[in-house]
Amino acid sequence: MPMLKRADITPLARRASQGGLIALPVAALLFAIFALGNWYGLGRNLPAAEANVRAAFAAGVLQDQDWLPGNTGIGRHQYNDCLILYMAIDQQATPVQLLASPIKPMQRGDESMCHALRAYAGGDKAAGRTGVWYHQYIHGHTMLARYLLPHLSVDAIRNLYHGIQTLLVLAGLIVAMTTLARGRSQTAGLFWLIIFLAFSRWFGLESYGQSLSHAPSDAVIIAYLLFLAIAAARGGLGRWCSIGAAAVFGATVAIFEFLTGGIPLGLAIIAGGLPFALRDRDPRETLARVIEALAAFCVAVAMCLALKIGLALWVFGIESFRESAAQLGVRMGIGAGPADIGPLRMAKSLTKGLNSLAAGMHVMAGAMLLIAICAGIWGARQLIGSGDAVLKSRAFHLVASNVVIVGMLALLWQHTIIHAWFMDRVFVWTIATGFALFALAVRERTA
């Protein structure tokens, strides 16, 4: 990456604004498609959907416990699974209200979320059971559940989600290996092979791949990685395609995101991965392409969230915005929340949460992350000190992509501390890029 001069800032700002402007109609269109799909997903054979929930409890596919650490059969995050199933079948409101936001149940006493779901599906639909409106997210995962649950068992939905992510990762491996075998873009082929190998092991797919909340967003992440790998194999992306794809990526992440790491991981992938999928290899043009793609991603996310807020304001009034703003403040540690949060607890939580990368292998996951960081530092120093301007630029981009992850985790630090047991999964990118930097540096030294 070349050193930026003052004269370079204005053209880069112009490119960023162009990327953002392109993202606006793309995001608006995708949100409109989501809203239409959400509308038509309402009222779809609710008796069959509730019967599938009851059958899942009877078969042990759903349990009364909200969290099942180490469970790779039905997944660790049962709270979110039961929450989404509850929101999918609780349609005791007008279609317009449910179009804007689902109903988040209020648990009674010390019951778990899954216990509340069992009671509701079993016939406890009293007025006191109805909860509050869940305005904070767009809830694409709830929309999917409304379509799938009347036709598929809970176990079948989980298998579908897990299978889709498995196929995406395997496809990425095949694309990268084919690229290497054909002798096309050896650097990009090696990079994408390492990326998909890392995601196959260190993305916690065994614990979260079947999750009704994590899986849709994770599938979007892996699908974009596959798109970039295919683009690299076919000669690289042009400017407009890279901007449009980043806008679609940002909008779909926003629609399916449940603050499980999709936004920081998406930003990191564009910052570090996009340079390995571009047709133009000039470092200055690569930087401009990355900046405008990042702008497109961010504007698409913001546009979808703004449309969701506008829809909620139209249906529910100003109180819906106050609730969302208050929750954002809590996530950033500037509102009401646990008092015992700080840098020390954040470090402890991030360390304890490393088993989300690979269930039951806490020490291995931590050691792998540490090795990757050390290997990446060595590799980055070698590449930055080399005479190859393209490799030097890519090394800067990969290092910057990890700075993005750290920055986003720090920005939402309260959320990171409380949910490190699944937020740590974003460090799959640190593992992948660390080994990629090392491999590229070794390849450069031995070439």
Side-chain angles (χ1 to χ4, degrees):
M1 183 186 300
M3 293 296 294
L4 291 178
K5 300 177 182 178
R6 181 174 298 179
D8 297 324
I9 303 299
T10 300
L12 289 176
R14 186 181 301 115
R15 294 286 288 269
S17 64
Q18 290 172 349
L21 287 173
I22 292 171
L24 288 173
V26 173
L29 175 61
L30 288 174
F31 186 86
I33 293 172
F34 157 76
L36 189 64
N38 206 20
W39 176 270
Y40 283 104
L42 296 172
R44 287 182 170 268
N45 201 351
L46 287 174
E50 292 178 8
N52 278 333
V53 171
R54 291 193 296 270
F57 277 110
V61 174
L62 289 172
Q63 300 182 13
D64 288 338
Q65 291 177 272
D66 285 344
W67 293 277
L68 300 172
N71 191 306
T72 57
I74 63 177
R76 177 175 183 174
H77 203 167
Q78 292 300 288
Y79 178 95
N80 269 15
D81 277 13
C82 292
L83 171 61
I84 288 171
L85 290 170
Y86 200 126
M87 292 190 298
I89 63 177
D90 185 357
Q91 299 185 22
Q92 299 182 104
T94 67
V96 172
Q97 288 175 319
L98 292 171
L99 168 65
S101 298
I103 302 170
K104 183 179 181 181
M106 294 292 289
Q107 298 158 258
R108 297 187 293 204
D110 59 353
E111 70 179 358
S112 66
M113 181 60 72
C114 290
H115 193 200
L117 171 65
R118 181 198 286 269
Y120 185 88
D124 181 3
K125 297 178 174 62
R129 168 64 66 186
T130 303
V132 297
W133 297 104
Y134 206 171
H135 299 304
Q136 283 86 322
Y137 304 99
I138 299 176
H139 297 283
H141 26 58
T142 300
M143 178 194 69
L144 290 179
R146 286 172 178 161
Y147 277 100
L148 296 174
L149 193 56
H151 307 288
L152 297 175
S153 67
V154 174
D155 193 45
I157 295 173
R158 285 173 171 162
N159 289 335
L160 174 65
Y161 285 175
H162 202 288
I164 288 172
Q165 292 171 88
T166 300
L167 290 174
L168 288 171
V169 171
L170 293 176
L173 288 171
I174 292 171
V175 168
M177 293 171 68
T178 302
T179 303
L180 284 170
R182 291 181 176 178
R184 298 177 180 174
S185 187
Q186 295 288 302
T187 298
L190 178 61
F191 173 79
W192 291 114
L193 179 61
I194 294 172
I195 294 297
F196 281 101
L197 284 172
F199 271 79
S200 71
R201 172 64 278 182
W202 303 109
F203 198 36
L205 292 178
E206 68 277 9
S207 298
Y208 299 92
Q210 64 278 75
S211 168
L212 275 63
S213 65
H214 295 265
S217 179
D218 290 350
V220 169
I221 293 288
I222 302 172
Y224 183 70
L225 288 171
L226 177 60
F227 168 77
L228 293 181
I230 293 173
R234 294 174 58 85
L237 292 171
R239 181 187 176 192
W240 303 114
C241 187
S242 64
I243 296 174
V248 171
F249 182 37
T252 48
V253 165
I255 289 170
F256 294 107
E257 175 69 325
F258 218 25
L259 273 189
T260 54
I263 293 175
L265 188 52
L267 288 169
I269 290 170
I270 292 176
L274 182 59
F276 290 86
L278 292 176
R279 186 180 304 148
D280 195 306
R281 301 177 65 191
D282 176 72
R284 289 183 180 274
E285 181 61 20
T286 295
L287 175 61
R289 297 275 181 90
V290 168
I291 287 176
E292 61 190 5
L294 285 171
F297 179 91
C298 292
V299 169
V301 170
M303 181 63 172
C304 286
L305 294 177
L307 289 171
K308 165 58 195 285
I309 291 171
L311 182 59
L313 282 170
W314 175 59
V315 176
F316 297 101
I318 192 63
E319 188 59 34
S320 64
F321 179 76
R322 291 196 187 101
E323 292 172 14
S324 298
Q327 279 298 312
L328 178 60
V330 170
R331 301 302 187 188
M332 297 176 67
I334 57 177
D340 58 334
I341 58 176
L344 181 59
R345 186 179 174 190
M346 187 171 186
K348 290 181 178 179
S349 296
L350 290 173
T351 301
K352 291 180 179 179
L354 289 174
N355 62 356
S356 65
L357 300 171
M361 295 200 297
H362 189 274
V363 174
M364 177 69 81
M368 189 63 65
L369 178 60
L370 181 60
I371 292 171
I373 292 172
C374 294
I377 292 173
W378 180 85
R381 291 182 63 184
Q382 298 298 314
L383 292 172
I384 292 171
S386 71
D388 191 316
V390 173
L391 285 178
K392 184 185 299 186
S393 168
R394 290 177 172 178
F396 270 113
H397 281 285
L398 289 176
V399 172
S401 70
N402 285 282
V403 174
V404 168
I405 287 180
V406 174
M408 287 295 295
L409 292 179
L411 178 65
L412 300 173
W413 62 295
Q414 189 269 1
H415 180 79
T416 300
I417 290 172
I418 302 301
H419 300 99
W421 56 277
F422 61 73
M423 290 300 293
D424 272 15
R425 297 169 64 236
V426 300
F427 290 130
V428 64
W429 184 252
T430 304
I431 292 175
T433 55
F435 283 107
L437 283 165
F438 179 82
L440 294 176
V442 170
R443 184 174 179 273
E444 171 66 13
R445 292 186 70 183
T446 57

